[in-house]
């Protein structure tokens, strides 16, 4: 029984890893239409834990991040962008291809809990298609790119714009984060959003509502910063967060565009035989003398004049230099004199010290009797060093 269970376990792991490793999705989209692909965390979670379907107790909701690139290239194709707000949110690949071709996109999901990785492939085949001739771009202020990319929201926005355009034949051409267009990061407060630009296209000409954007009256109101209500009877947004900013609405009429000038025809890169190569004539000689005068001589003259002026101020214009020098000498002499005088004075004072030195500093001073002997005497060897017979406290006093 246990062996059978482990066999089932082993088989499911094998099958799951077989399918997980080769997960591949294919899309065929026309040029100039908007493409969105949601990277579902749930799908990748099943890759990380293939058994959690059989044993729901094993199911985790792991944070994960995604790395996307074109196969064998470090980055995504130019037209494709990736966004994921938070490791607990789904990621989105979105963009509008501009030229036909095939791109293989590698998606690596990294589980931030276990650090497992899973790889999916996305094959996008872009086929040529006529570009929609009438396009309009609206700005939705109260939205963020991740909130707009889910297909339900795209449909809501498209429905509002279909009413505005007065046609069903409408396609979303592009959705852009306002931050990618020079928008500012909003304050992290409720009610502040990054904003998104939504571009739609149609075969049908613009409706009268849309054409009101081009009227001078509307433009004057916008320039004056009047409250952005939009033309009357033209506000079709059901959900307030999907309402457009009228003053940022732009219309593009691609039918009126002049045809592009034909591309320059490439030559073979080899000169026609016969003609000799004629080098271009060298340009006429230029006279550099005025430049020399202006850049070298004039500053030099100015520098010399400044030098002379400075020299004159420093040496010529100094008032009473001699007098001041004399006075300085006098002061120095006086100082010298006083120093000499003070020294002499100190010497004199030291020479005639009349006051006797304090008794305690003298040698052979008897503190009781006050008797003292002269230092000269004490130095003489005839005086006994210990005067025992004169000691009054001595027991052996002579009678
Ligand atoms: C879509 O918008 C992005 C960002 O503004 C821009 O780079 C890209 O060229 C647009 N694509 C089309 C087809 O207009």
């Amino acid at each position: 029984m246990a062996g059978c269970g482990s066999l089932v376990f082993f088989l499911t792991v094998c099958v799951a890893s077989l399918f997980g490793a080769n997960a591949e999705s294919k899309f065929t989209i026309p040029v100039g239409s908007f493409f969105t692909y949601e990277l579902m965390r749930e799908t990748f979670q099943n890759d990380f834990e293939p058994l959690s379907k059989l044993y729901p107790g094993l199911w985790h909701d792991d944070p994960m991040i995604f790395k996307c690139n074109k196969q064998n290239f470090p980055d995504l194709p130019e037209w494709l962008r990736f966004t994921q707000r938070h490791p607990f949110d789904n990621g989105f690949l979105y963009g509008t291809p501009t030229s036909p071709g095939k791109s293989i996109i590698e998606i690596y999901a990294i589980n931030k809990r276990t650090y497992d990785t899973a790889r999916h492939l996305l094959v996008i085949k872009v086929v040529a298609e006529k570009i929609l001739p009438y396009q309009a771009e609206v700005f939705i202020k109260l939205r963020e790119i991740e909130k707009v990319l889910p297909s339900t929201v795209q449909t809501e926005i498209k429905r509002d714009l279909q009413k505005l355009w007065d046609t069903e034949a409408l396609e979303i051409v592009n959705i852009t984060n306002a931050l990618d267009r020079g928008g500012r990061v909003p304050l992290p407060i409720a009610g502040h959003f990054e904003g998104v630009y939504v571009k739609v296209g149609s075969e049908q000409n613009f409706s009268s509502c849309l054409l009101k954007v081009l009227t001078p009256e509307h433009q004057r109101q916008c320039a004056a910063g009047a409250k952005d209500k939009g033309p009357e009877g033209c506000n079709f947004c059901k959900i307030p967060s999907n309402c457009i900013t009228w003053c940022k609405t732009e219309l593009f009429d691609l039918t009126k565009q002049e045809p592009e000038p034909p591309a320059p025809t490439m030559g073979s890169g080899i000169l026609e035989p016969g003609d000799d190569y004629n080098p271009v004539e060298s340009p006429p000689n230029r006279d550099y003398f005025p430049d020399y005068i202006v850049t070298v001589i004039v500053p030099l003259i100015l520098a010399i004049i400044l030098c002379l002026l400075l020299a004159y101020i420093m040496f010529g214009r100094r008032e009473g230099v001699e007098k001041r020098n004399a006075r300085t000498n006098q002061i120095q002499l006086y100082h010298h004199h006083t120093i000499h005088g003070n020294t002499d004075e100190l010497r004199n004072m030291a020479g005639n010290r009349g006051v006797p030195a304090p008794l305690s500093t003298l040698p052979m001073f008897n503190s009781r009797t006050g008797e003292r002997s002269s230092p000269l005497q004490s130095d003489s060897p005839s005086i006994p060093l210990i005067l025992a017979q004169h000691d009054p406290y001595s027991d052996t006093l002579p009678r």
Side-chain angles (χ1 to χ4, degrees):
M1 207 47 205
C4 194
S6 66
L7 185 68
V8 169
F9 188 92
F10 176 74
L11 276 180
T12 41
V13 168
C14 277
V15 169
S17 60
L18 209 68
F19 282 107
N22 292 323
E24 188 180 298
S25 323
K26 286 189 179 141
F27 293 92
T28 303
I29 50 169
V31 164
S33 79
F34 189 66
F35 168 77
T36 330
Y37 180 73
E38 187 165 2
L39 308 179
M40 308 291 276
R41 288 193 314 117
E42 201 183 321
T43 319
F44 289 94
Q45 189 72 53
N46 286 337
D47 284 2
F48 292 133
E49 292 170 334
L51 302 177
S52 58
K53 260 192 195 146
L54 303 180
Y55 312 102
L58 289 178
W59 172 260
H60 282 98
D61 187 24
D62 291 334
M64 54 183 89
I65 57 169
F66 301 98
K67 298 256 179 291
C68 308
N69 63 280
K70 192 173 164 174
Q71 197 174 39
N72 303 329
F73 289 88
D75 212 344
L76 284 171
E78 205 185 357
W79 60 272
L80 198 60
R81 286 165 190 257
F82 170 75
T83 182
Q84 186 195 16
R85 181 80 31 162
H86 191 271
F88 280 106
D89 289 334
N90 285 341
F92 289 95
L93 281 167
Y94 66 100
T96 312
T98 47
S99 57
K102 189 170 145 186
S103 310
I104 300 175
I105 310 296
E106 281 177 318
I107 302 165
Y108 291 94
I110 300 154
N111 187 325
K112 295 298 270 182
R113 184 177 62 91
T114 60
Y115 287 90
D116 279 343
T117 57
R119 175 172 173 267
H120 280 199
L121 280 186
L122 194 65
V123 183
I124 306 173
K125 205 172 150 204
V126 181
V127 293
E129 174 93 353
K130 218 177 127 244
I131 298 285
L132 294 170
Y134 298 101
Q135 300 194 349
E137 189 174 66
V138 297
F139 179 64
I140 302 177
K141 203 169 113 191
L142 303 179
R143 282 292 196 184
E144 275 161 4
I145 187 85
E146 293 92 345
K147 304 284 157 51
V148 167
L149 291 175
S151 59
T152 50
V153 183
Q154 283 191 42
T155 316
E156 280 170 15
I157 292 172
K158 192 166 139 187
R159 209 170 291 143
D160 286 348
L161 293 174
Q162 275 169 340
K163 282 193 199 130
L164 178 62
W165 202 305
D166 203 12
T167 177
E168 288 284 308
L170 194 73
E171 293 300 329
I172 291 185
V173 172
N174 209 351
I175 297 182
T176 329
N177 190 342
L179 295 189
D180 294 337
R181 302 259 300 246
R184 291 171 63 178
V185 176
L187 294 171
I189 305 175
H192 287 71
F193 301 92
E194 289 164 4
V196 288
Y197 287 92
V198 178
K199 199 177 200 179
V200 286
S202 175
E203 296 276 356
Q204 284 231 350
N205 204 338
F206 302 116
S207 66
S208 55
C209 266
L210 275 173
L211 287 172
K212 278 183 191 152
V213 167
L214 300 177
T215 58
E217 195 203 345
H218 174 86
Q219 278 163 6
R220 214 177 318 114
Q221 273 176 4
C222 283
K227 200 150 184 309
D228 197 38
K229 281 210 303 280
E232 259 168 57
C234 293
N235 278 314
F236 294 104
C237 56
K238 264 200 248 123
I239 305 166
S241 52
N242 286 349
C243 289
I244 64 171
T245 302
W246 277 92
C247 282
K248 286 199 179 172
T249 301
E250 265 190 88
L251 307 183
F252 305 89
D253 189 346
L254 304 184
T255 55
K256 282 192 196 136
Q257 272 186 344
E258 307 116 53
E260 277 185 34
T265 44
M266 291 285 238
S268 62
I270 301 164
L271 269 182
E272 303 279 315
D275 282 7
D276 282 339
Y277 176 66
N278 241 348
V280 190
E281 294 227 347
S282 59
N285 279 340
R286 215 180 126 188
D287 187 8
Y288 286 105
F289 189 67
D291 291 354
Y292 174 69
I293 295 273
V294 169
T295 54
V296 177
I297 299 294
V298 172
L300 199 65
I301 289 173
L302 273 179
I304 290 171
I305 289 173
L306 279 177
C307 236
L308 290 177
L309 202 68
L310 204 63
Y312 173 66
I313 291 169
M314 288 296 290
F315 300 110
R317 268 184 56 81
R318 287 182 78 177
E319 234 178 79
V321 173
E322 296 301 311
K323 220 194 289 169
R324 200 177 307 154
N325 280 350
R327 204 185 316 142
T328 320
N329 281 346
Q330 266 177 14
I331 291 168
Q332 278 176 356
L333 272 178
Y334 176 72
H335 269 272
H336 198 70
H337 176 77
T338 47
I339 290 167
H340 259 284
N342 291 346
T343 325
D344 285 348
E345 205 181 332
L346 279 173
R347 288 232 178 86
N348 279 342
M349 280 162 68
N352 50 27
R353 264 185 208 136
V355 190
L359 292 176
S360 58
T361 62
L362 291 174
M364 308 300 286
F365 168 69
N366 189 321
S367 60
R368 226 174 330 106
T369 58
E371 196 188 1
R372 59 176 161 138
S373 50
S374 85
L376 276 173
Q377 277 177 349
S378 69
D379 276 3
S380 85
S382 63
I383 300 283
L385 285 172
I386 301 165
L387 304 173
Q389 61 267 51
H390 296 301
D391 195 344
Y393 293 99
S394 163
D395 290 334
T396 56
L397 272 177
R399 308 244 152 161

